[in-house]
Amino acid sequence: MARKFRQANEGFDYVFEAKSKDEQIARLKEWASINQTVVPLVRIGVGAEKVEWGLPEGMPETVKIDKDIPDGMGDASIQMEWRRIQTFLDPNGNLRNLPTWKQEMNWVQILEGLHHKEAAILTAVKDGTLLKMYPKLEKLLKDLGIEEYNKPVKKTRKKKATTK
C-alpha cells in the first residue's frame, strides 16, 4: 500500500532513505501514484519543463514563515494549494491580468501557509533548482525519462598560487 505524506519534504525524505537507485525510483513512483503534484514538482523543479512563473527569483523578502512548526503541522501543504499554484503555471490564466505586485502578494500568501520546508521546496521548484536541495535526484532522472534538465554547476576549487 502506498504511503501518504502531508508534506513534500516528507515524501522526498522517504524516497531518499532507500539505499539502492531502483528502490528510490520505486518509492518515487509509489508516492506519485497517490499524489498528483509529485510529477509536475519534479519536472518543473529540475527544469525538464520550462515555466514562466512571472515571479522574482528566490524567497520573497516580505514572506513571514514560522520555522518552529514541526513537520506535518503547517496550515496548508503544496498538495492542498496545488490549484492556486497552477494559476502561476498558466501563461494565459487570469492571474497574468493582475498587476505584478498582486501576483507576488498571492505567491507570498501561498508560501506563508506552507510549512517552512515545503516553502523552500516550492521556491526551489519555481527557480528550477530542486537538484540543489535533493542532489540524489539527479541520478534518477534518466531512468524516469528526463533527459534535459538544469544540470547543477559543480563547485570548482581554486588552486592556490605558489610563489617560488
Side-chain angles (χ1 to χ4, degrees), residues 9-109:
N9 61 296
E10 295 170 332
F12 281 118
D13 291 346
Y14 168 70
V15 168
F16 295 116
E17 283 172 0
K19 300 289 183 224
S20 73
K21 181 172 139 181
D22 290 337
E23 191 178 352
Q24 290 174 352
I25 291 169
R27 286 183 177 201
L28 187 62
K29 287 181 177 182
E30 171 192 333
W31 178 34
S33 72
I34 59 167
N35 186 329
Q36 68 180 10
T37 65
V38 175
V39 173
L41 283 178
V42 170
R43 290 190 58 78
I44 296 167
V46 300
E49 288 182 24
K50 305 293 184 204
V51 174
E52 180 52 51
W53 290 81
L55 297 166
E57 204 168 302
M59 184 75 72
E61 293 176 15
T62 57
V63 73
K64 296 177 184 88
I65 296 178
D66 187 358
K67 295 196 176 190
D68 294 334
I69 297 174
D71 279 350
M73 299 298 289
D75 292 336
S77 68
I78 290 175
Q79 188 173 3
M80 294 165 106
E81 291 287 357
W82 190 244
R83 288 179 83 181
R84 287 179 65 194
I85 293 167
Q86 282 183 308
T87 61
F88 287 91
L89 305 178
D90 184 3
N92 300 319
N94 289 334
L95 187 75
R96 302 299 174 158
N97 297 333
L98 296 174
T100 306
W101 68 269
K102 206 156 200 169
Q103 291 177 33
E104 291 178 21
M105 185 179 74
N106 282 329
W107 184 251
V108 167
Q109 287 174 345

Side-chain angles (χ1 to χ4, degrees), residues 90-142:
D90 184 3
N92 300 319
N94 289 334
L95 187 75
R96 302 299 174 158
N97 297 333
L98 296 174
T100 306
W101 68 269
K102 206 156 200 169
Q103 291 177 33
E104 291 178 21
M105 185 179 74
N106 282 329
W107 184 251
V108 167
Q109 287 174 345
I110 290 171
L111 291 176
E112 286 179 346
L114 299 177
H115 186 272
H116 66 92
K117 291 179 183 175
E118 272 205 316
I121 288 172
L122 190 55
T123 300
V125 168
K126 172 185 65 75
D127 296 339
T129 58
L130 190 61
L131 290 176
K132 285 184 183 176
M133 288 189 79
Y134 296 101
K136 292 179 181 179
L137 185 58
E138 186 173 12
K139 69 180 180 185
L140 308 180
L141 295 179
K142 191 170 186 174

